[in-house]
Structures are given as C-alpha cells and as structure tokens.
Amino acid sequence: MHNNSDKQKDQVFRMTGVDTRKCMKCGKCSASCPSFNEMQYRPHQFVDMVTKGRIEELMASPSIYHCLSCFACVERCPRGVEPAVVVEAIRNLAERKQGGTYFSPDEVPELIDGTVPQQALVSAFRKYRK
Amino acid sequence: MVMTFSYYPGCTLKTKAKELDKYARASAEALGIELKELEAWQCCGACYPQSKDEIATRLSSVRALNDAAREGGVLVTLCSACHHVITRVNRDMALKPEIADKANRYLEIDYHGTTEVLHYLTMLRDRVGFDVIKSKVVNPLKGRKIGAYYGCMLLRPSKEMGFDDPENPTIMEDFIRAIGATPVVYQMRNECCGGYVAMKDKAQAKKNVSRVLDNAKNCGAEELITACPLCLYNLNENGDKAMPVTYFTELLAEALGVKEA
Ligand code: SF4
Ligand code: SF4
C-alpha cells in the first residue's frame, strides 16, 4: 500500500521525469545557485528530500519562491538531474492546492510603478499561481 | 535580395519595451530583412512551464509556431523570455509526444516542431553575418566600452537553447565589435540578475543586481546591453542607476544610422 509520501513522489516523477537518485551529491547545483543564501533548502537538498519522500516539507518552505528559474543548476549538474525542474514541480504542487496562490491580482496595483514591464507581471502569474 | 521571416514581438515589446522592437525593425530594414509580424500572436507567458503536465501554458507558443510553419518556417524572436519559451516548447512538440499529442488535439492542428526559431542575434550572426553588418555601419561606436549582459534565458539549458557556449558565450561580444565598440568581458555576464523576484523580493533582487553591476564595472564596462526587458527593468530598478543599460537593438540602429528614422 502506497502511503502519501510515496504518492507525492510518484506525482513529482510524473511531472518532472527526473530520477533524483542519479544525484551524486556533489553540490555543484547549490554552489551555482544565485539564491543560495535566501534558501532554507538548497537545490541539492530539494533533490535529496524528494528521494526521501520529504515533499510536504519542501512544499511548505519559502524556498520554492526563491528559485529564480535561472537554470544554472540544470546547466551545471554533472549528472543531468535538473534540480530547477524538481523545484518547480514542488512549487506547482503547492500552488495547485486550494489557497496555494502566492501572487494575487490584488497585489498588482501596489507593485506597478509605470516602469514594470508586462513580462514581470505575466511571469509572476505564471510562476506563482495555478 | 530581401530575406523575409515571421516575427514574434511578444507582449512587452508592444508596451514597456517599444525601443527594443522599434530599433530592431528599423535595423532589419537597413540590413535587407523583412520581419513579418505574425498576424494573431498571443503572449507566450514569459516562463517556460517545466512540468510536463502543464499543457495550457504551452498553447500560445504552439499557435505561433504553427502559424510560422505555414508562412515560411522561420520565426524570429527578440525578447529573451519569448525566445526561451518558444524554443523550448518547439522542442517539446518535436520530442515529447505526451505533450505534443495533447496540444495538437486541443488546437486541432498537426504540428511537430518543424519551425526554426531564430533569435534576432542569431539571425544577425547566421543569416546576415557580422562582417556584413560591419560593412554597413555608418556610425561606428568607437571608444565605447560595452559589457554584454546575457542573463539566463538565452543560454540555458544549452542543450535545448543551442544559442552559444553557455559558460563562455561570444555572440554579443562579436556583435559589439561589429558595431565598432569595444566589448568588455566580465564573469557575471551569464549569471542571473534575479528578475523574477524584482517586484516581490527587492532585497534579494538588489543583491543579485549589484553582483552583476559591480563586476561589470570593475572589469571596465561603461554601459551594458541586453535583449531582455525584465533584465533591463531589474538592473535599473534594483541597481544604483550608475550604469546605463540599453537594448542591443538601439545601439545597432545607432551604428547603422537609422536610429532617428
Ligand atoms: S534555477 Fe533555481 S535552484 Fe537552480 S540555480 Fe537557479 S535559482 Fe537556484
Ligand atoms: S549538481 Fe546534480 S549531482 Fe551534484 S548535487 Fe546537484 S543535483 Fe546532485
């Protein structure tokens, strides 16, 4: 019988196609990460925690909103693990839950100042709500 | 002979980044290229959806790609984010049947990634040639020390983007040379400026920006060029505003003598 954490692991695998067990824990992803200092869990920890089924913890961590989708970790991982893909899947899971929205249209008026490019708003809606 | 390509400007080039678009069109004309804007494009969403089960967020790119396929098969993009998203969705349509089947069924089309997506810079390099550009420069930007800011989205993941060497790119430096200026190479040119948190987390964005700008300045750059409206906004908004940042197309238009046209 599958418990909840196994189900979540399967779901992450279906979304990412990433086999997190390929990771050899070299830490290159986290060393490359421009958000390293802001993250409670760093990219290599995302990978490790998914392997261990600790997905709820990741979903609850603000680290999912600190990833900049810069793909440095994807580019530099020597094992093709693609940590950013894993981070995004977990963020998607958190956002798809009811009430999981991180960015709401109500916030927009306060944030726009006449120079904010459309691209910033469009991407915030794509990244931070489902 | 005039070369004609389909062109996808994207949402921001119609509003906050009008200069990126305007100077690209003027320069293309001067170089004998006709950019034919797709008739009915929609915003690409500005973020490539990395999860395989995200289908709806890929559809606007698929529509643009499919339209371009019927009009000559080459689609020119300019904004880094548009280029990133559309290039990667194009690959999905060619290589990931689980995505392509759903998107095709939904849109009632039969598209499998046949369109060639060309970034404007790649078009300059591979279809025009930097030597030809050099020969058409009437106003060389002599003595200007320009740093190329590549950012993330044009280069990575390199195995999908195929844009340039992801760790040691040269296309923008070659461009700078072609317009008569001096390129300044600095290490942070392909590291992230933190654009996605530019609005919600200014403290983090400021850190990322100052790492880029300080490094560029220390290496001798006096101005930066970019292809990305979000980078430009973030570098200005969350930097100290001492380093001018412009779109590369503006400098191209200046060098070709069509800036005021
Ligand atoms: S994509 Fe995210 S996790 Fe990976 S290096 Fe960039 S910011 Fe860090
Ligand atoms: S770079 Fe790749 S192999 Fe190394 S720790 Fe990160 S995910 Fe694991």
Side-chain angles (χ1 to χ4, degrees):
Chain A
M1 199 30 215
H2 263 32
N3 64 26
N4 197 37
S5 99
D6 285 340
K7 265 196 225 145
Q8 282 175 325
K9 246 171 95 166
D10 288 349
Q11 172 73 1
V12 170
F13 182 70
R14 273 199 303 277
M15 291 166 80
T16 61
V18 168
D19 179 0
T20 54
R21 291 169 308 177
K22 283 192 303 188
C23 171
M24 63 180 185
K25 299 194 197 311
C26 66
K28 207 168 177 182
C29 50
S30 295
S32 290
C33 179
S35 283
F36 180 85
N37 289 318
E38 280 73 23
M39 284 172 132
Q40 173 192 12
Y41 299 121
R42 277 76 187 235
H44 73 285
Q45 289 169 295
F46 268 84
V47 171
D48 180 58
M49 287 167 75
V50 167
T51 305
K52 294 184 174 134
R54 293 170 59 190
I55 288 163
E56 288 286 347
E57 284 166 74
L58 290 172
M59 283 166 66
S61 163
S63 301
I64 55 179
Y65 304 112
H66 285 296
C67 168
L68 300 166
S69 300
C70 75
F71 311 111
C73 54
V74 174
E75 187 66 48
R76 293 169 192 159
C77 170
R79 301 279 294 162
V81 176
E82 304 184 309
V85 183
V86 173
V87 176
E88 181 155 314
I90 301 209
R91 192 175 61 239
N92 287 159
L93 285 179
E95 286 163 352
R96 286 176 191 174
K97 288 216 297 206
Q98 202 166 20
T101 287
Y102 178 66
F103 185 60
S104 121
D106 302 338
E107 297 176 57
V108 172
E110 217 180 285
L111 291 170
I112 49 176
D113 58 5
T115 56
V116 171
Q118 279 61 25
Q119 186 190 351
L121 294 169
V122 171
S123 51
F125 282 119
R126 277 284 161 90
K127 272 173 77 82
Y128 300 139
R129 56 188 277 134
K130 284 292 159 205
Chain B
M1 212 195 77
V2 174
M3 290 187 267
T4 305
F5 301 122
S6 296
Y7 173 51
Y8 179 97
C11 68
T12 310
L13 274 68
K14 290 288 176 186
T15 49
K16 288 292 186 292
K18 284 208 178 96
E19 307 78 45
L20 180 56
D21 176 62
K22 181 172 99 184
Y23 297 126
R25 289 180 197 254
S27 303
E29 210 187 306
L31 294 169
I33 293 166
E34 189 196 352
L35 292 178
K36 246 180 104 216
E37 181 171 336
L38 289 178
E39 228 166 82
W41 58 268
Q42 300 157 315
C43 170
C44 71
C47 290
Y48 172 73
Q50 299 183 75
S51 297
K52 289 195 288 183
D53 59 355
E54 286 280 327
I55 303 299
T57 40
R58 286 176 162 89
L59 296 180
S60 59
S61 300
V62 178
R63 284 194 188 98
L65 288 159
N66 187 52
D67 287 353
R70 289 183 305 188
E71 285 192 17
V74 179
L75 183 59
V76 172
T77 54
L78 185 45
C79 162
S80 303
C82 297
H83 183 66
H84 182 91
V85 174
I86 294 175
T87 300
R88 295 185 74 182
V89 170
N90 201 32
R91 273 180 58 97
D92 292 340
M93 294 304 287
L95 302 173
K96 295 183 188 158
E98 71 274 31
I99 290 170
D101 290 352
K102 284 185 193 139
N104 275 324
R105 254 195 318 242
Y106 187 89
L107 296 173
E108 297 180 342
I109 56 174
D110 188 25
Y111 177 75
H112 296 278
T114 46
T115 294
E116 183 188 358
V117 186
L118 264 188
H119 188 268
Y120 194 98
L121 277 166
T122 325
M123 175 189 83
L124 294 180
R125 182 189 62 194
D126 300 343
R127 299 299 177 100
V128 183
F130 285 137
D131 47 337
V132 172
I133 294 174
K134 199 169 172 186
S135 72
K136 296 200 173 172
V137 164
V138 295
N139 173 31
L141 309 188
K142 269 206 195 90
R144 286 172 64 174
K145 299 195 179 80
I146 306 175
Y149 183 60
Y150 287 89
C152 316
M153 285 188 280
L154 290 175
L155 294 169
R156 293 186 290 267
S158 61
K159 104 178 170 260
E160 290 185 47
M161 298 307 296
F163 183 78
D164 204 345
D165 181 331
E167 306 298 356
N168 191 20
T170 50
I171 182 169
M172 285 174 102
E173 283 78 10
D174 292 341
F175 166 78
I176 292 168
R177 254 178 238 117
I179 58 172
T182 307
V184 175
V185 174
Y186 60 104
Q187 300 85 331
M188 295 296 282
R189 70 208 157 115
N190 61 338
E191 300 294 341
C192 183
C193 72
Y196 284 133
V197 293
M199 294 190 302
K200 290 254 312 180
D201 190 346
K202 287 202 180 284
Q204 178 177 356
K206 285 194 161 112
K207 266 200 261 176
N208 292 133
V209 167
S210 70
R211 265 183 283 192
V212 173
L213 293 181
D214 291 351
N215 177 237
K217 191 168 154 237
N218 290 338
C219 291
E222 290 170 0
E223 56 185 304
L224 298 183
I225 52 166
T226 176
C228 179
L230 186 54
C231 295
L232 183 123
Y233 167 75
N234 188 38
L235 292 170
N236 284 326
E237 175 71 17
N238 293 312
D240 59 10
K241 300 181 180 62
M243 177 84 75
V245 187
T246 37
Y247 294 120
F248 75 96
T249 54
E250 185 169 345
L251 299 194
L252 176 60
E254 198 180 327
L256 293 173
V258 296
K259 190 167 164 182
E260 308 311 332

